[in-house]
Amino acid sequence: MKTLLLALCVLFGSAKVWGAVYYVTVAGLGGEPDYEQRFTAAARDLDKSFKAAGSSAHVTTLTGKDASRARLTEVLGTVAREAKSEDDFVLVLIGHGTFDGAEYKFNLVGPDVTATELAGMCDRIAARRQLVVNTTSASGGSVMMLRRPGRGVIAATKSGTEKNATVFARYWVEAMQDPAADVDKSDSVSALEAYQYADRKTSGFYESQKRLATEHAVFEDTGRGEPVRAASGSEGALLSNFTILRIGASQKAANDPARQQLLAKKEELEQKIDVLKYGKAAMDPSDYKKQLTAALVELAQIQQELDK
Amino acid sequence: MTLSVTCRSGSAGVGFALTVGCVLFGAVRSWGAPLATPESCAVLRRHGQQAEAQSCYESLTHSPRADLRAEGYWGLQEFKDANEQFQAATAGPDAQAAVRVRYGMLLHERFNDVDSVALFQEALQRDPRNAQAYLGLAEVSAGGFDGKAAEYALKALSLDPKLSEAHELLAGLALENNDTEHAVSEADAALAIAPDAMDVMALRGAVELLADRSPDAWFAKMHAVNASYGQGYALVARQLEMHYRYEDAIGYYRKAVEADPKLWSAHSALGIDLMRIGQEDEPRRELELSYNNGYKDRATVNSLRLLDSYKSFVTYKDEVTTLKLRREEADLLRPYFDAELHRAVATYQKKYGMTLPGPVQLEVYPDHEDFAVRTMGMPGLGALGVTFGEVVAMDSPSGRRPGDFNWGATLWHEMSHVYILTMTKHRVPRWFTEGLAVHEESAATGRPEWANRLTPEVVAAIRDKKLLPIETLDRGFVSPEYPAQVVVSYWQAGSICDFIGNKYGEAKLLAIAKAFGAVKTTPQVVKEELGLSTADFDTQYKTWLNAKVGTTVANFDAWRTRLKGLVELEKAKNYEAVLKEGEAVRALYPEYVGEANAYEFLAEAHLAKEDKKAAAAVLMAYAQAGGESPATLKKLASLQEESGDTKAAAATLDRINFIYPVHDEDLHRRLGALWLAQGNFPGAIRESAAVVAMKPLDKAGAEFNLAQAYYASGDKAKAEETVLLALEAAPGFRPAQKLLLELEKPGTSSDSKDKK
């Protein structure tokens, strides 16, 4: 399974072309001042993080009265007109959601928007790689409507029946701010890293409060499967390769032709390390350590050269 | 009820077939046999005539009356059939109150107190003067330590002065409360009514044992009635348990099962006590024996479950300690618990001038239900920790919400018990051992912020003059008369020890412990050690207490009213007013650091006014007053760090380690970084290792921080080992790459160092 996931990651990675990223964040209707404040604050924090990502980020954030179906339709229409197939698109929904057994609705100022309507709006966007992060209550009820090949869908709840207000959004925002979310230290946060971070923090919240968890985040990123809680097999491949936030100079290095040779060597070493790691169980521990140390030292030296 | 009724056989030649026509007024007679009644069967059993008792009960099962059949099956220990017959007997609206009471007694015996209480209450609705129903309620209350048992028993006696069982129950309660004189008088009253009451004889034997005198005369009397009466020894054992004498209790439970091998309740209790002193194999055998023979009360079932769960625990042993932690949190908690346990042992060893005879065992339960099994059937709070001789069981910080309890203080509290119980051979009243343990939470640890907390329920109790005289303080633990009395009694006992330590010196507390060890009573000890009568002691204590907390007590009502106003001001974000009123509210009751305290409101208002210095000062005062909200302490640490006082920030964060070191990577990461910068390398290593032990998502970051700490401490081998783990997780992690290159420089690596 691990090997398959690795292979898929490599496949997605080799096809990667750096494009623009379109971020749309919506803080839906709070209903009460406390929720209103919380949703708006989360959306604003995301707005700040996304805008800090660089010039390739196109960020739109809808809060307060702006968070209406009309404005959302308008904004997604704009993205549909501007985004190219090599661009990425990220939609984050924060707030309350409902599910009546058949249809999910995201609560907005004025008329709500259904998951079917949202899917339709997203389908008109050319970006081949899309991510919808639905952090609302009952958001699990939206996954099947929103899923599509090339689109990862993350929901704060496993089904439409988990109806209590969620805390997932809080930790999704935190994932964009906490360097610890960048687990592989690649100077970027992938959708999978952010999902795992937020999911773990959400579980920790309920555990520390000694409360029964009323939300269990899920994702679906094959466009064909059922939502899952954790990466396994082909589930998770798109998310692990979907960079939400770039926090370092990795893009710059990749585009510098003078460093192509070093980058090729670096990639070769990274693959060697991956192969070593996956063969670890079958290796003599001292031999593994010796080979790993040698490869890591060499990789570090190359990185040093690249950073000069 | 007159039972002298002639009975005719309805079917000649059938031994016990007296089922038709011969049952009148609750009696059954077999042809040529004496009249069988539940009472007569019970007398046979009580006197050890087992075969005859068995026949007697057997005959009852053939009665045309469902209640008598129920009695028969009950006597034969066929509980399911007994239950069915009682159900039938109580189904109709005309069922007698007495039958409901007996059904209630059966359910009480078979671990269903909820339904048994309902039956006693139904009986009282039908017959408000039913003494047996009150006795039933008293028995249930006694088992639950809800403080109402004596009231019910007295009510029963007022309705039936010859109810010896009520005197017996009162005797048992008095003995639990260390009121020996009253226990003896109640026992004697019971024996005057029922001279063959072996349970009362056993209680009298327990009185002698607890006073370190020979109980043999009473046991001889018991034997004269029934030589195989195991329940008597079990009752003695129960009293010994109640006085912390677990090893002695085990001895008497053994006698109980030896006398009556089928006494399954005693097998279970023996198993539980053996578990309490740290054994596993024999307890399992005893508990399984009990369970397999139908004795499936909550304590038995949960204890067996707990034994099963032990496979998920890891045990660390050295010469002085045995530490038992659940596997998934062992790596994280071990450094903290191990260090604190050893510190406690070293401190108490010096302070009490004694060495424990063997290693002390500390068991830490992340699942509160597992811990609760340890305290089941015991009085007192039992909510945080419990000591059984040299075995301490306590909640893990992960078993509680952040800020709910301080595991460090709990550990020191329980460890004080370990020493005092060992020193006194468990001959110490509850008030003193609990009071001293509370006192030591700050006195022995040198941490004033862990001191006895003056909570609102304590203030209210002082205001309402509900503190107990020292002589009867034990009752507050065992037979509380109001819901908060156990908490109040802990506080009062602690403050009594504070008073003694303050006025007479710490050494006096040790002298008092030794005096109790010589089996002296509280009045004797107070007289001999403090030169006071208990009444004079109470007067002096009250004067001292009033000087200490009198103002807060006097302010209590005003504080409550004004705190409500403060909450509203805070809600309205009227920070000017919060600052003004908050100071006043804090001054009224400065010890209050619970939910919605003035300190936190003031800090928030200061921050809203961008006065970080003032916010830090007020939060520091909160911490010094014993405030333990991890989130608030972290806020204080951030303010201290921002102001450049990184040492204070580290100290504040380290306090949280004693409150909630779990589920908080950020705490350990921050503290590790601070200590690394301050050159406290062992501290930095511990904190960074804590993050690694939490199996964080950011494994690479955690391992790298640990590697840095090792590197800074000069341990290059471990630094290399750890940085490789960081890079194994994230090969492109630049800071870790730099450290690896640094370590691999010729002449720097651990290999070259080793070769040298």
Side-chain angles (χ1 to χ4, degrees):
Chain A
M1 283 300 198
K2 274 184 180 173
T3 312
L4 176 59
L5 186 59
L6 175 69
L8 285 164
C9 291
V10 170
L11 184 66
F12 275 109
S14 61
K16 187 158 62 183
V17 178
W18 305 113
V21 187
Y22 287 83
Y23 298 98
V24 177
T25 304
V26 191
L29 189 68
E32 292 169 24
D34 185 32
Y35 283 123
E36 200 75 48
Q37 197 180 9
R38 207 186 301 172
F39 297 160
T40 304
R44 287 190 179 145
D45 284 348
L46 279 183
D47 184 81
K48 201 172 156 191
S49 299
F50 293 151
K51 280 179 177 160
S55 56
S56 63
H58 301 262
V59 184
T60 310
T61 303
L62 303 177
T63 59
K65 286 178 186 168
D66 242 7
S68 65
R69 189 164 78 170
R71 278 289 290 140
L72 178 60
T73 308
E74 188 188 325
V75 166
L76 293 182
T78 306
V79 176
R81 281 192 299 280
E82 292 177 3
K84 298 180 184 65
S85 65
E86 65 269 26
D87 295 334
D88 287 349
F89 167 63
V90 178
L91 173 65
V92 184
L93 307 176
I94 301 163
H96 298 304
T98 57
F99 183 68
D100 62 8
E103 184 61 282
Y104 164 86
K105 282 182 184 171
F106 177 45
N107 296 175
L108 290 165
V109 176
D112 296 339
V113 64
T114 67
T116 311
E117 289 166 339
L118 277 168
M121 292 183 225
C122 294
D123 286 349
R124 284 193 282 279
I125 294 169
R128 274 202 302 266
R129 296 175 357 128
Q130 300 189 358
L131 175 68
V132 179
V133 185
N134 189 350
T135 69
T136 71
S137 43
S139 49
S142 69
V143 179
M144 299 308 267
M145 288 295 176
L146 289 166
R147 69 175 184 177
R148 196 195 72 169
R151 180 186 297 152
V153 182
I154 290 172
T157 75
K158 67 183 173 190
S159 67
T161 54
E162 289 190 327
K163 293 176 178 175
N164 290 352
T166 61
V167 296
F168 184 81
R170 182 198 304 180
Y171 299 116
W172 181 267
V173 172
E174 206 175 290
M176 302 297 126
Q177 300 165 332
D178 186 351
D182 176 18
V183 169
D184 62 1
K185 305 299 169 193
S186 59
D187 287 342
S188 61
V189 178
S190 73
L192 190 63
E193 284 174 330
Y195 168 81
Q196 287 171 335
Y197 180 96
D199 180 45
R200 178 134 171 189
K201 289 268 183 168
T202 301
S203 306
F205 168 82
Y206 287 101
E207 205 169 323
S208 66
Q209 295 301 308
K210 296 282 153 211
R211 281 166 53 182
L212 199 63
T214 52
E215 59 187 295
H216 301 84
V218 291
F219 69 86
E220 203 296 309
D221 68 346
T222 65
R224 289 175 289 273
E226 292 288 324
V228 293
R229 295 266 299 129
S232 163
S234 57
E235 290 281 8
L238 172 60
L239 292 194
S240 73
N241 193 244
F242 197 114
T243 300
I244 305 180
L245 208 59
R246 201 162 290 285
I247 47 181
S250 50
Q251 185 174 12
K252 194 179 156 194
N255 293 339
D256 183 353
R259 298 178 175 191
Q260 292 299 322
Q261 205 180 347
L262 282 172
L263 282 171
K265 181 65 182 167
K266 183 186 168 195
E267 197 173 315
E268 186 191 316
L269 279 166
E270 282 170 347
Q271 282 176 9
K272 185 181 173 185
I273 290 164
D274 279 337
V275 170
L276 265 175
K277 278 159 65 177
Y278 289 111
K280 182 179 179 179
M283 289 177 75
D284 171 63
S286 62
D287 189 31
Y288 171 78
K289 189 186 169 190
K290 197 175 163 187
Q291 289 194 44
L292 182 74
T293 307
L296 285 170
V297 167
E298 202 178 344
L299 181 65
Q301 285 162 342
I302 286 170
Q303 189 62 57
Q304 213 170 35
E305 286 299 308
L306 278 166
D307 290 344
K308 274 180 185 167
Chain B
M1 184 183 293
T2 304
L3 297 175
S4 55
V5 174
T6 307
C7 221
R8 289 188 295 114
S9 170
S11 174
V14 181
F16 281 94
L18 305 178
T19 54
V20 183
C22 72
V23 180
L24 287 170
F25 304 110
V28 183
R29 187 199 294 273
S30 60
W31 194 246
L35 196 66
T37 65
E39 295 79 8
S40 64
C41 298
V43 168
L44 291 170
R45 176 153 291 164
R46 192 157 62 242
H47 287 258
Q49 293 169 266
Q50 294 301 339
E52 292 83 351
Q54 199 78 355
S55 296
C56 183
Y57 284 120
E58 175 72 32
S59 72
L60 287 177
T61 65
H62 299 292
S63 165
R65 274 176 45 182
D67 62 319
L68 291 180
R69 290 197 299 274
E71 294 284 356
Y73 286 122
W74 185 359
L76 296 171
Q77 298 197 8
E78 291 172 22
F79 301 111
K80 201 173 159 221
D81 289 331
N83 183 51
E84 281 170 10
Q85 294 304 323
F86 268 130
Q87 273 180 354
T90 54
D94 300 330
Q96 289 174 7
V99 179
R100 289 181 191 278
V101 171
R102 289 297 295 162
Y103 189 14
M105 291 291 196
L106 169 71
L107 294 184
H108 172 56
E109 186 182 309
R110 299 308 294 170
F111 337 119
N112 181 356
D113 279 343
V114 173
D115 289 336
S116 75
V117 166
L119 281 160
F120 296 142
Q121 284 166 345
E122 280 173 26
L124 286 170
Q125 277 169 8
R126 283 166 169 74
D127 174 11
R129 297 185 56 77
N130 191 307
Q132 291 284 352
Y134 279 111
L135 178 66
L137 288 172
E139 285 187 4
V140 173
S141 287
F145 302 101
D146 66 8
K148 292 182 185 164
E151 184 188 326
Y152 286 134
L154 288 170
K155 180 73 182 169
L157 277 175
S158 73
L159 296 168
D160 179 0
K162 294 203 167 180
L163 195 58
S164 66
E165 293 94 331
H167 283 296
E168 177 191 324
L169 195 141
L170 287 167
L173 289 173
L175 196 53
E176 286 174 5
N177 287 330
N178 280 328
D179 188 352
T180 310
E181 204 178 310
H182 187 205
V184 168
S185 77
E186 288 291 349
D188 289 349
L191 284 173
I193 299 164
D196 66 348
M198 289 174 290
D199 290 351
V200 185
M201 295 168 190
L203 266 174
R204 289 293 270 110
V207 168
E208 300 306 305
L209 261 176
L210 290 170
D212 277 354
R213 296 188 295 261
S214 169
D216 290 351
W218 287 102
F219 291 158
K221 287 184 184 185
M222 201 167 81
H223 279 218
V225 181
N226 180 355
S228 60
Y229 190 64
Q231 181 61 23
Y233 295 119
L235 283 170
V236 172
R238 177 65 182 152
Q239 282 294 340
L240 290 165
E241 262 174 17
M242 294 293 294
H243 291 81
Y244 308 114
R245 289 169 60 171
Y246 303 104
E247 297 270 5
D248 293 341
I250 286 167
Y252 275 89
Y253 280 128
R254 288 195 196 283
K255 283 186 181 213
V257 296
E258 194 184 323
D260 181 357
K262 289 185 176 178
L263 190 59
W264 310 122
S265 58
H267 281 287
S268 170
L270 172 60
I272 289 168
D273 270 353
L274 287 165
M275 269 178 83
R276 284 173 173 155
I277 62 161
Q279 294 189 28
E280 286 184 34
D281 294 338
E282 194 183 355
R284 183 181 291 281
R285 283 198 300 276
E286 290 295 335
L287 285 161
E288 280 178 350
L289 182 64
S290 171
Y291 182 89
N292 293 336
N293 281 285
Y295 196 80
K296 298 176 182 179
D297 68 330
R298 274 200 321 141
T300 307
V301 174
N302 291 345
S303 298
L304 279 167
R305 278 196 194 127
L306 182 60
L307 280 171
D308 285 342
S309 80
Y310 280 170
K311 58 180 175 288
S312 350
F313 282 74
V314 193
T315 304
Y316 305 97
K317 288 184 180 183
D318 60 30
E319 283 181 2
V320 185
T321 65
T322 299
L323 177 61
K324 219 166 172 177
L325 297 165
R326 185 109 119 221
R327 195 176 305 280
E328 63 261 30
E329 61 181 21
D331 287 346
L332 170 65
L333 294 182
R334 185 186 176 191
Y336 301 96
F337 276 81
D338 200 46
E340 209 55 19
L341 184 55
H342 279 92
R343 200 165 86 84
V345 168
T347 305
Y348 285 130
Q349 195 165 306
K350 193 174 170 197
K351 185 168 185 179
Y352 296 151
M354 64 170 288
T355 305
L356 293 173
V360 62
Q361 177 165 317
L362 175 65
E363 301 169 0
V364 183
Y365 294 96
D367 185 344
H368 181 70
E369 293 309 309
D370 283 344
F371 168 68
V373 176
R374 292 304 230 163
T375 57
M376 200 173 280
M378 302 302 289
L381 272 182
L384 306 172
V386 65
T387 300
F388 303 104
E390 281 143 33
V391 176
V392 173
M394 64 183 281
D395 268 331
S396 162
S398 63
R400 296 260 161 180
R401 294 196 324 159
D404 263 9
F405 95 120
N406 181 318
W407 68 263
T410 303
L411 188 152
W412 282 82
H413 179 111
E414 300 304 329
M415 284 301 295
S416 167
H417 286 322
V418 171
Y419 277 84
I420 292 301
L421 293 179
T422 305
M423 179 193 293
T424 62
K425 294 190 176 69
H426 301 73
R427 283 134 176 98
V428 59
R430 199 168 286 271
W431 77 262
F432 181 73
T433 182
E434 293 297 355
L436 184 59
V438 171
H439 170 78
E440 296 294 25
E441 287 176 32
S442 61
T445 61
R447 294 177 186 272
E449 71 274 16
W450 289 2
N452 205 1
R453 184 83 51 81
L454 187 70
T455 57
E457 58 259 68
V458 174
V459 179
I462 299 172
R463 179 199 59 189
D464 299 340
K465 305 200 184 312
K466 285 184 170 174
L467 295 192
L468 293 171
I470 192 171
E471 205 174 336
T472 55
L473 185 50
D474 270 8
R475 287 182 204 169
F477 295 91
V478 183
S479 308
E481 287 173 358
Y482 57 96
Q485 193 171 21
V486 176
V487 175
V488 172
S489 299
Y490 270 89
W491 186 89
Q492 187 188 345
S495 80
I496 284 177
C497 290
D498 291 344
F499 166 61
I500 295 170
N502 189 271
K503 185 173 178 187
Y504 301 90
E506 290 286 302
K508 185 56 79 179
L509 290 164
L510 186 58
I512 290 174
K514 285 179 177 165
F516 279 124
V519 203
K520 289 179 180 165
T521 63
T522 294
Q524 285 171 328
V525 169
V526 171
K527 188 78 195 166
E528 288 172 21
E529 295 300 327
L530 308 180
L532 296 170
S533 67
T534 52
D536 288 343
F537 176 86
D538 287 336
T539 306
Q540 288 195 12
Y541 165 66
K542 274 181 191 163
T543 307
W544 174 84
L545 188 63
N546 190 48
K548 201 169 153 45
V549 303
T551 310
T552 300
V553 174
N555 291 338
F556 186 55
D557 292 334
W559 169 81
R560 263 206 311 218
T561 309
R562 290 179 73 172
L563 181 62
K564 281 180 194 162
L566 183 62
V567 170
E568 292 309 314
L569 291 173
E570 198 274 338
K571 269 189 196 163
K573 300 192 187 307
N574 185 349
Y575 294 122
E576 277 295 342
V578 168
L579 287 176
K580 199 176 161 201
E581 184 63 6
E583 285 298 349
V585 172
R586 178 168 73 150
L588 286 172
Y589 182 0
E591 298 90 344
Y592 182 71
V593 288
E595 293 282 320
N597 61 77
Y599 295 97
E600 289 182 81
F601 290 142
L602 281 166
E604 204 180 321
H606 283 306
L607 287 174
K609 296 271 176 194
E610 297 185 352
D611 188 349
K612 291 184 176 177
K613 199 176 164 191
V618 81
L619 288 181
M620 192 63 211
Y622 162 83
Q624 283 165 344
E628 292 189 335
S629 155
T632 307
L633 292 174
K634 280 175 90 174
K635 200 183 281 178
L636 169 61
S638 297
L639 290 167
Q640 289 167 323
E641 204 176 342
E642 275 180 48
S643 74
D645 193 352
T646 54
K647 239 181 170 160
T652 302
L653 290 175
D654 193 29
R655 278 184 182 190
I656 304 174
N657 273 331
F658 290 103
I659 301 163
Y660 202 69
V662 292
H663 303 307
D664 193 350
E665 291 168 25
D666 176 63
L667 162 70
H668 300 293
R669 200 177 291 122
R670 281 173 65 185
L671 184 53
L674 282 169
W675 273 343
L676 183 64
Q678 289 165 18
N680 175 359
F681 303 128
I685 290 169
R686 188 187 72 179
E687 293 306 306
S688 303
V691 182
V692 171
M694 294 170 100
K695 297 185 177 54
L697 275 177
D698 184 11
K699 181 177 189 307
E703 295 284 9
F704 170 64
N705 290 339
L706 181 56
Q708 272 189 309
Y710 279 132
Y711 185 60
S713 75
D715 190 341
K716 294 196 169 70
K718 281 198 170 158
E720 186 186 35
E721 191 182 307
T722 319
V723 81
L724 283 173
L725 289 171
L727 286 166
E728 186 185 39
F733 188 12
R734 284 182 179 78
Q737 287 178 331
K738 280 182 189 163
L739 180 57
L740 178 64
L741 290 177
E742 187 67 33
L743 283 161
E744 295 299 320
K745 268 184 194 167
T748 321
S749 78
S750 59
D751 281 353
S752 57
K753 195 180 162 194
D754 291 347
K755 279 170 199 162
K756 281 176 192 170

